[in-house]
Amino acid sequence: MSAVDRMRRWERWVSKRSLASFAVSRLTAELYRDKSVWAASILVRTAAGSLQPAAGQAFQALVEGCEDPRAVGGVIYESLLHCGGRDESDTTWTRVTGPLLLGDSPPRLIRFLDHPPADNPRGSEPADVIKQLMMCVSFNSPRRPDLERFLSSTDQPLIVEALRAGWSDNTFLPNHIVTDVGVANPHLQPAGTDRSAVLLAVVKDRLDLLDFTDPYTVDSLLRGAQMKRPDLADKFLRVLKALPPGTAQERLCKIVTRRLVPDDAATVAALEAGYLPEGLQDRVLFLFLTQQWSQYDAIDPTGDLLYTAYLQTHRSADLRDHTLTWAIIETARQNGRPDPAARYLEENPLPEHTRSDGTRPSVGGYSSDYGFGGDHGSGGWTGGSFHT
């Protein structure tokens, strides 16, 4: 009989009260065969069930499996695997995985990771176990107080490194569980000074590790300011308000001006700290787009500097500059300021063309206020391009 056939038979038998205990005893024997991880899987499901005495016998078999180098990897891996998804009742964790892996002293999970057997079954090596452990604290995992207490204090190197990796992603913030245990665990510290360590360095008050000559340090700080925990978000905001002159301040001002991200923290930090770009044109744009009118009027009373900046973005082949073009136009119109787009059209009038029916077509979506046709009315600009 093949392993698949045996597996299907024992799955049927453990679901029947009259055969369950017998099936558990046979599954226990299967634990020590080659490639028998499936037996551990069935035992985990049985131990998590309510069918007694089979559930108790299955749990004891798993305990004994953790003491045997032939079975321990498969038992631990499968017990974690069954807790990685969404389970409203979380019975597998509360009845099996938590007591099995964390209930002994030292915890069975630590004993396995510290001294793994020489030849674990494929797929149940320490690295695989760590991956499944982290799935138990993924974004959709239930809160498990015993697991969080364990992760908040452990110094096991593989686990600490896995937690650190949850803070080093350059795209996503650590989820709420990894955040809480990371803050609490004194053994979790930032490693190195590269941008992947920025989040953890701020949380752990290791600001000496931040490289403010790397502009993307500011990007990471802005990500940290979006954390759901107000105390942590405030830490990042305080750092953003105390950036040293040079690369870091210039990067923050550029983010605000270019609106690279819809980020209120960037604007709040830059305005409250009084940052200004070093270049005159960049400074004009920054003051104009952040609506700091007294300072803006002092350096560009005629609007010529803003118009020069507008022309550069308007004529740029870089599509990112076109977003800045629209930001200038939008800010001018919303604040009753001279519109550089209107000035441009006055200085560069469009050629007039007449259709056969005597009407003039819209050219490139220009507003009828400044050119032909268009769709600009009392409700404001509604589309189109300033490029013919």
Side-chain angles (χ1 to χ4, degrees):
M1 181 180 296
S2 69
V4 173
D5 291 333
R6 291 201 304 274
M7 178 181 69
R8 290 173 178 170
R9 180 180 66 183
W10 301 132
E11 284 179 332
R12 291 195 302 270
W13 285 16
V14 293
S15 64
K16 298 180 180 180
R17 186 176 298 275
S18 60
L19 297 173
S21 293
F22 171 73
V24 168
S25 65
R26 295 299 300 269
L27 284 165
T28 302
E30 291 283 356
L31 275 179
Y32 308 107
R33 295 176 181 268
D34 290 337
K35 301 179 181 179
S36 61
V37 174
W38 61 267
S41 176
I42 299 175
L43 286 170
V44 169
R45 296 199 298 272
T46 304
S50 57
L51 190 62
Q52 294 292 355
Q57 293 170 342
F59 182 81
Q60 185 58 38
L62 294 170
V63 170
E64 294 171 1
C66 284
E67 305 303 322
D68 192 299
R70 295 170 297 173
V72 58
V75 168
I76 292 178
Y77 178 84
E78 288 297 324
S79 64
L80 290 168
L81 179 65
H82 284 76
C83 296
R86 185 180 294 277
D87 181 359
E88 297 298 333
S89 63
D90 208 23
T91 54
T92 301
W93 178 269
T94 56
R95 295 180 181 179
V96 183
T97 307
L100 181 68
L101 301 190
L102 307 181
D104 204 8
S105 182
R108 296 183 181 91
L109 176 60
I110 294 297
R111 296 208 303 266
F112 170 75
L113 294 174
D114 284 349
H115 305 287
D119 54 347
N120 281 296
R122 179 175 296 178
S124 59
E125 291 91 352
D128 302 299
V129 167
I130 289 293
K131 288 180 182 178
Q132 287 306 318
L133 176 66
M134 296 310 295
M135 288 299 296
C136 292
V137 290
S138 62
F139 71 96
N140 64 342
S141 297
R143 303 300 296 245
R144 295 161 172 148
D146 54 344
L147 178 58
E148 292 183 34
R149 285 193 298 271
F150 168 75
L151 293 176
S152 295
S153 60
T154 184
D155 62 352
Q156 209 290 322
L158 295 176
I159 299 177
V160 170
E161 187 56 38
L163 290 173
R164 184 182 292 113
W167 287 81
S168 63
D169 191 295
N170 288 323
T171 304
F172 301 103
L173 291 169
N175 66 56
H176 58 293
I177 300 177
V178 173
T179 297
D180 290 348
V181 301
V183 171
N185 191 320
H187 306 289
L188 179 60
Q189 295 293 329
T193 58
D194 63 4
R195 65 186 60 162
S196 67
V198 170
L199 295 179
L200 200 54
V202 173
V203 166
K204 295 294 185 176
D205 298 317
R206 289 297 311 276
L207 303 186
D208 57 299
L209 297 178
L210 298 182
D211 180 8
F212 290 111
T213 65
D214 182 348
Y216 292 100
T217 294
V218 172
D219 296 53
S220 297
L221 292 171
L222 285 171
R223 287 177 52 241
Q226 302 304 317
M227 283 190 161
K228 300 301 183 183
R229 277 185 51 166
D231 59 326
L232 299 183
D234 186 62
K235 274 191 172 187
F236 287 94
L237 191 58
R238 290 201 303 271
V239 177
L240 286 166
K241 293 178 183 179
L243 298 175
T247 301
Q249 289 189 19
E250 288 292 320
R251 177 62 179 174
L252 185 63
C253 290
K254 182 177 181 180
I255 288 172
V256 173
T257 302
R258 297 269 173 173
R259 301 184 182 183
L260 299 181
V261 291
D263 192 279
D264 290 338
T267 303
V268 169
L271 294 185
E272 291 188 5
Y275 298 147
L276 289 175
E278 293 180 0
L280 179 59
Q281 183 169 297
D282 291 336
R283 182 171 297 194
V284 166
L285 280 173
F286 178 81
L287 291 172
F288 185 84
L289 292 175
T290 56
Q291 302 175 33
Q292 299 183 73
W293 301 123
S294 60
Q295 295 183 72
Y296 166 74
D297 290 335
I299 63 174
D300 190 23
T302 64
D304 289 341
L305 294 175
L306 178 69
Y307 185 58
T308 300
Y310 166 80
L311 290 178
Q312 288 187 6
T313 63
H314 173 65
R315 294 167 176 167
S316 174
D318 190 337
L319 292 178
R320 291 172 296 183
D321 286 336
H322 297 178
T323 300
L324 183 54
T325 302
W326 282 109
I328 296 170
I329 296 168
E330 198 175 296
T331 302
R333 293 178 177 177
Q334 289 177 351
N335 291 275
R337 289 271 164 169
D339 187 345
R343 177 175 171 178
Y344 177 82
L345 288 171
E346 289 172 1
E347 295 178 0
N348 302 272
L350 293 174
E352 294 193 2
H353 299 280
T354 304
R355 295 193 183 102
S356 58
D357 60 1
T359 62
R360 293 184 301 180
S362 170
V363 179
Y366 282 101
S367 160
S368 58
D369 290 353
Y370 308 121
F372 303 137
D375 47 10
H376 177 71
S378 60
W381 193 271
T382 59
S385 168
F386 280 90
H387 297 271
T388 58

